[in-house]
Amino acid sequence: WWLTMLVSFLWVSVFSWVIVVIVHRWSVATAMSSSAFGVTFVALGGQIPDVIQSATVASRGHGSMALSNALGSQTLNICIGLGLPWFLASVISAKDVVLTNAKDVLVSGAIMFVLLLIFTVATLGDVVVNRRPKVQIAKTLGRVFFFLYIGSIA
């Protein structure tokens, strides 16, 4: 099964590279920055399978598993989805990978950090204040998170 896992990571890396090339061409054609294009369209498209998985698991009453899927997939995306292509690019070309729009990436990272902080305070704060044994995300809090997401990509 190790071979299957390695080949699947290879395919993910190859398709990530293809998406980067396509997004770059689209951003040049539309005069939109590559970073903004990636944050809005590529990130949205890449998260659709995770949303379906988390929604399915949550609807079956396994909220912790849905939350773990959402957070774990982001960790995997950052470590493998960025790390492996950058590592391969630096090994093949013997040059460091340079971020051309570092300011855009920094702003996106800051927005994600603030959203993660809001999520943590909203969920764990509710547990501490109301002395609940488990995190409960009500419909209202779910709507707040959804609108925060919409606001972050706007």
Side-chain angles (χ1 to χ4, degrees), residues 71-103:
L71 298 177
S73 69
Q74 292 308 309
T75 304
L76 187 69
N77 288 345
I78 291 169
C79 294
I80 301 296
L82 292 176
L84 185 60
W86 285 357
F87 171 73
L88 292 175
S90 65
V91 167
I92 292 170
S93 69
K95 296 179 185 176
D96 290 336
V97 176
V98 178
L99 297 177
T100 55
N101 294 333
K103 183 179 176 184

Side-chain angles (χ1 to χ4, degrees), residues 104-118:
D104 290 342
V105 174
L106 184 62
V107 169
S108 297
I111 290 170
M112 288 191 309
F113 178 74
V114 168
L115 289 174
L116 180 63
L117 190 62
I118 291 169

Side-chain angles (χ1 to χ4, degrees), residues 53-65:
Q53 290 170 352
S54 292
T56 302
V57 171
S59 69
R60 294 181 181 166
H62 302 288
S64 296
M65 192 181 298

Side-chain angles (χ1 to χ4, degrees), residues 133-152:
K134 295 181 179 180
V135 173
Q136 294 178 350
I137 300 177
K139 288 181 181 179
T140 305
L141 191 55
R143 288 183 185 119
V144 168
F145 290 149
F146 178 74
F147 288 116
L148 281 172
Y149 173 74
I150 296 299
S152 72

Side-chain angles (χ1 to χ4, degrees), residues 1-70:
W1 68 272
W2 283 101
L3 179 62
T4 304
M5 186 67 122
L6 289 174
V7 170
S8 68
F9 283 146
L10 179 67
W11 277 113
V12 168
S13 297
V14 167
F15 282 117
S16 295
W17 176 78
V18 169
I19 289 171
V20 166
V21 170
I22 291 170
V23 165
H24 177 70
R25 289 182 182 173
W26 282 352
S27 66
V28 169
T30 61
M32 185 176 178
S33 83
S34 297
S35 299
F37 215 93
V39 167
T40 53
F41 299 111
V42 176
L44 181 64
Q47 294 310 311
I48 290 173
D50 292 333
V51 168
I52 293 170
Q53 290 170 352
S54 292
T56 302
V57 171
S59 69
R60 294 181 181 166
H62 302 288
S64 296
M65 192 181 298
L67 185 59
S68 297
N69 176 47

